[in-house]
Amino acid sequence: MKNYLPILVLLIFCFACSKLTSLENTKTSETTNKANNIVASNKTNRLTNQESAPKTENPLVALKKMKGKYQYEIKLWAKPEISQRLEKLMGKDYATMKKFWNVESPLEVEGDVLRLTGCEAHNCGANQYEIFMDTENDNINVYHILDESMKSYKEKGEIKLPKKMAEEFEQDTYSIKNK
């Protein structure tokens, strides 16, 4: 029996070591799997969040719903997503336009083009502004008619006006174009 005892102790030791190694491998594998799952889960969450994040609506499209309302009702000058664009487009002339935008017409909508007009009180013929906004191409044009001259500001090029608006704009600028 004495001969078997060291062999038995050795076998128990080997068996315990192999179980311990097996247990450590299992823990390492589980940790790796958990880490991989967390990484995969984070990637999925990021993709899902990006896909499900609401797309910002073109601010000009939102204005279409304001058809028939005046600039003061729309509070166009207070909407940073539009006023900042107008200021960038017109520079210091933006403040002048706001100053003389006293008499105005309601927002017109024809297809994808919006139109607002405003002018200086008691001086509309000599100092007026027309703003055209193309919702399809996210573009703004401003025209300032001042004493038989016209200055234009075009954000992304000239907006192709729908027929009715083109005719009205032609009437408003007829005397300037035919000098």
Side-chain angles (χ1 to χ4, degrees), residues 30-56:
E30 285 175 3
T31 304
T32 303
N33 286 340
K34 283 180 184 177
N36 289 339
N37 288 340
I38 289 170
V39 169
S41 175
N42 286 342
K43 284 181 183 178
T44 304
N45 287 342
R46 275 198 309 267
L47 289 174
T48 304
N49 288 341
Q50 287 173 356
E51 292 169 1
S52 65
K55 293 181 181 178
T56 56

Side-chain angles (χ1 to χ4, degrees), residues 137-149:
N137 298 303
D138 191 31
N139 188 12
I140 299 174
N141 290 176
V142 179
Y143 297 90
H144 181 202
I145 301 165
L146 180 64
D147 298 324
E148 300 296 319
S149 66

Side-chain angles (χ1 to χ4, degrees), residues 104-116:
E104 56 187 10
S105 65
L107 178 69
E108 297 175 48
V109 178
E110 191 175 340
D112 290 320
V113 179
L114 315 177
R115 177 184 183 210
L116 280 170

Side-chain angles (χ1 to χ4, degrees), residues 100-144:
F100 290 117
W101 191 281
N102 310 122
V103 179
E104 56 187 10
S105 65
L107 178 69
E108 297 175 48
V109 178
E110 191 175 340
D112 290 320
V113 179
L114 315 177
R115 177 184 183 210
L116 280 170
T117 62
C119 61
E120 182 180 5
H122 311 293
N123 196 22
C124 277
N127 190 13
Q128 76 177 35
Y129 294 87
E130 298 201 23
I131 300 174
F132 295 96
M133 297 171 271
D134 181 349
T135 61
E136 173 87 18
N137 298 303
D138 191 31
N139 188 12
I140 299 174
N141 290 176
V142 179
Y143 297 90
H144 181 202

Side-chain angles (χ1 to χ4, degrees), residues 22-83:
S22 175
L23 184 61
E24 285 176 0
N25 286 342
T26 303
K27 283 184 180 178
T28 303
S29 176
E30 285 175 3
T31 304
T32 303
N33 286 340
K34 283 180 184 177
N36 289 339
N37 288 340
I38 289 170
V39 169
S41 175
N42 286 342
K43 284 181 183 178
T44 304
N45 287 342
R46 275 198 309 267
L47 289 174
T48 304
N49 288 341
Q50 287 173 356
E51 292 169 1
S52 65
K55 293 181 181 178
T56 56
E57 183 178 350
N58 173 345
L60 301 181
V61 172
L63 285 177
K64 276 179 115 172
K65 301 170 192 160
M66 306 288 189
K67 180 181 180 177
K69 295 195 180 221
Y70 293 88
Q71 181 285 133
Y72 75 90
E73 294 175 299
I74 297 169
K75 297 177 177 48
L76 194 66
W77 311 149
K79 294 186 183 304
E81 62 276 3
I82 297 186
S83 64

